[in-house]
Each structure stands twice: as C-alpha cells, then as structure tokens.
Amino acid sequence: MMKNKEVETDDPFFPQEIIRNILTRLPVKSLIRFHCVCRHWRDLFKDPSFIADHLHHSNRQNPYILFQRDHSFDNHSDLHSLGSDMQVWRFQNPPLIEHLNHGKIVGSSNGLLCVYSPHSLLLWNPAIKEVNLVPKTDLCLDLYSIGCHPIGFGFCPSLNDYKIVVTSVENFFEMFKVYSLRSNSWKEVKYRVDDCHFNYGVTVNGVMFWWGERYLRKFGGEHSEMVIFSFDLATEVWTVIPMPEHHFSPISQNLTVYEGKLAFVCCAQDFEHTEDFEHSAIHLWVREEGVGAFGETWNWTKKFTSNPYPSSWLCPITMWGNEIFCRIWDSESTNTILFNPTTEKFKNLNISECGVGYRIINYVESLVSVGGTKSLTKLLKRGAHLVECGQ
C-alpha cells in the first residue's frame, strides 16, 4: 500500500528545463503544430532565447542545401532541398517565388532567404511561411532597373540585426547601399576604391566577404589582381584582404565558412601526382584572427589538400556540415559529390535536381521572424505598386 501511495503522489510531468531542451531539438513544422498545446508553449516559441537555442541545434544537426534553377534557362523556377538524410524534396507551394516573376535567392542566413525579383527585394522564412517586403527607396532604384549589382545578405551578432548590402562601382567610388531589418530602412556608404568587380560571397561573424578582381593602373598600363573585399556590418567599414598565397591557377574557387571562420576553397589540376590534365585536387585555407608578421590582423592557414580526383573540372561550392559540397562539370551534364576532409574520401551523390543552371544555397530551418506577414495576399496589397506592369 505504501508503494502504491508513493506512485500516486509522484509528479507526472517533466521539469520545464527538460521539456524546453526537447522542444529545441524538434523541427519547425512540429513546433508550429504545438502552438495550440498551451499558451506557455506558444509564448516560448516566440522567446528570443528559445529561438536562438533552436537555431543552434538546427545548425549542428539539420543543415540543408537548396537547389534553385536559374530562371534565365527556362520559364520555371524550381526549388529543391537536400537534407542530412540524403533525400531531395521539392519545396512545397512556393507562391512567393513563382508570383514575383521567378524570384532569385541571393542570400541565406539563419533560416531567412533574401529574394530578388525585377520589381522588389524580400526577406522570406519558408519554415514559418513569413514574408517581409523590403521598402524601395531612391537609394536603390538602380538595383531594380539594372538588376546586375552583387547583393549580400547576412546577420550581425553585435547589433542583432540582419542586413542587405548592394554594391556598385561608379567613377571609382564603391557605394554600399545597406538595408537594416531592425530599422527597416536604407542608407548609403561611400568609399574611394580602385576599379573592381565583385562575385558572390559569404557572411562570417558579422562581416560580409566577396572575392573578386581589382583593376590597377600603373605606369600607363592596367593589370588586375584577385582579392577579397570585406564589409563590417557593425562598423560599416570596407577593407581589402589578399588571397592566400598559392603557386597554381585555380580551375574554380569560392568563399565558404569552415569551423566558424572565413575559408577559401579552390580546385586545381594535380600535377604533383599525374602528368596529365585528368586529375584535380581541392585546397582549403582558413582565415585566422591575430596580428601577422607585418602588423596585419589576418593570417591564412592552409588546412588541407585533398587526394587527387579523376576529373579536371571539379568545382567546390560550399561547406555542408563537415564536408565540402562539389560539382563536376563535363561536356554533357553535371554531377555532385561530397568530400570529407577527415576521411579524405569522395562520395558520389548523383542528384539530378542539381543540374546545369541550378544555384546552390546553404539553408537551415528556424523560427527567426522577418517581421512581416504570413499572407501573400496581404503582402501584395501592401506593395501593389511594386508588381504593376512596367514598374
């Protein structure tokens, strides 16, 4: 009898700390369903601390790769995702992208996607189906009329703010047009620079990086050099960083994030192991913080060179978890492989949804709000002037 009495008086509920820990590990889709369980859970899912903890677990356990077909190849904009289970799924009902004249994803950060269309810029969280229309101002009219300037999107931890950065070079002035989600406004920053050309880059710890070419005029002539351009989202200061020193011409190259740091990954033909042009190897450098020999605050450390791979057109795209996601180009099609630096092995993925004309974007599901609406109808009513013909 005594034992039965103790069982009956035991608290049948888990401690709140355990429940919270379990909830942070669940997918967003489940948390959305659990909104109706109780008011406490509904409020918890909006708490910034819970959102940050959930994002931390998602980044570690459930990263995705998105494949988006470039709309210039056809009249349809497919969007697929690849998860850690190696299954490819088509994004369900993306009315936002389809409606906005085949919107193009130009950036991804903490579950938020920056989408560009010929008429507008938007921030979109697909997991919670929330959209925010970025205001159009005189500072960025040329972006919509020309549509060819590199666009960066990233998170600034020190300001707890997401920013969009549009770059354009005019008369040797680099003009950064910066949008802040927190203030919902644009501003313009100018710097005197040499003529240069930007390529798509990444944001690491609140600093946006692009790799590109800087054109220098010396002694009546002109030459170019490959450099990395950086823009601090907090201080809004622009700097130039030299590329890692190497003694070969890369076939392909990209900036990525490796162990929370800026990394430069490239592919070059492997002349050390073979005399023909049918093998290539992946090289990766990481930018370490600290003062170098000449007083600089950067230092490149080479992490590894891969085993030779039997292809001369190996193209490393980005880090995915602890592996490097790569494409292989040939005259007829493309293929996708993963390279694991720890095991030094290549794995063939054979993903047909990642063919010619597809962009590759890192993505993770999150509860982060873009401060917008979940209704496309309301969004269009609010910004109807942006979708009129000819505007």
Side-chain angles (χ1 to χ4, degrees), residues 90 110 128 175 186 222 234 309 312 345 384:
R90 183 167 182 176
N110 293 343
I128 61 175
M175 291 187 290
W186 288 90
E222 179 179 290
Y309 187 82
S312 60
K345 292 183 178 179

Side-chain angles (χ1 to χ4, degrees), residues 222-361:
E222 179 179 290
H223 75 279
S224 65
E225 62 176 350
M226 301 298 297
V227 294
I228 296 173
F229 305 94
S230 73
F231 185 78
D232 192 303
L233 295 178
T235 63
E236 297 182 342
V237 172
W238 178 90
T239 56
V240 178
I241 302 170
M243 287 284 195
E245 291 187 4
H246 50 75
H247 305 287
F248 52 79
S249 298
I251 298 171
S252 61
Q253 55 195 357
N254 272 302
L255 296 179
T256 186
V257 182
Y258 181 80
E259 297 181 344
K261 300 176 182 179
L262 175 68
F264 176 76
V265 60
C266 71
C267 174
Q269 289 172 337
D270 185 33
F271 294 116
E272 182 178 348
H273 298 87
T274 178
E275 295 181 357
D276 59 35
F277 295 89
E278 299 303 321
H279 288 75
S280 55
I282 297 174
H283 307 263
L284 185 136
W285 289 263
V286 173
R287 181 178 180 265
E288 305 285 357
E289 298 293 337
V291 180
F294 300 99
E296 68 276 8
T297 57
W298 48 264
N299 182 40
W300 289 103
T301 300
K302 189 168 186 178
K303 288 296 183 180
F304 64 81
T305 296
S306 74
N307 294 323
Y309 187 82
S311 172
S312 60
W313 292 104
L314 183 63
C315 180
I317 304 294
T318 186
M319 292 296 303
W320 187 38
N322 61 348
E323 298 179 294
I324 299 178
F325 191 93
C326 306
R327 269 177 169 159
I328 301 176
W329 300 89
D330 60 33
S331 59
E332 298 180 354
S333 62
T334 61
N335 196 6
T336 51
I337 62 170
L338 286 178
F339 172 72
N340 190 315
T342 302
T343 63
E344 298 186 358
K345 292 183 178 179
F346 291 90
K347 179 167 60 177
N348 198 321
L349 298 182
N350 289 319
I351 299 175
S352 60
E353 292 85 358
C354 183
V356 176
Y358 275 85
R359 297 186 66 250
I360 297 174
I361 306 115

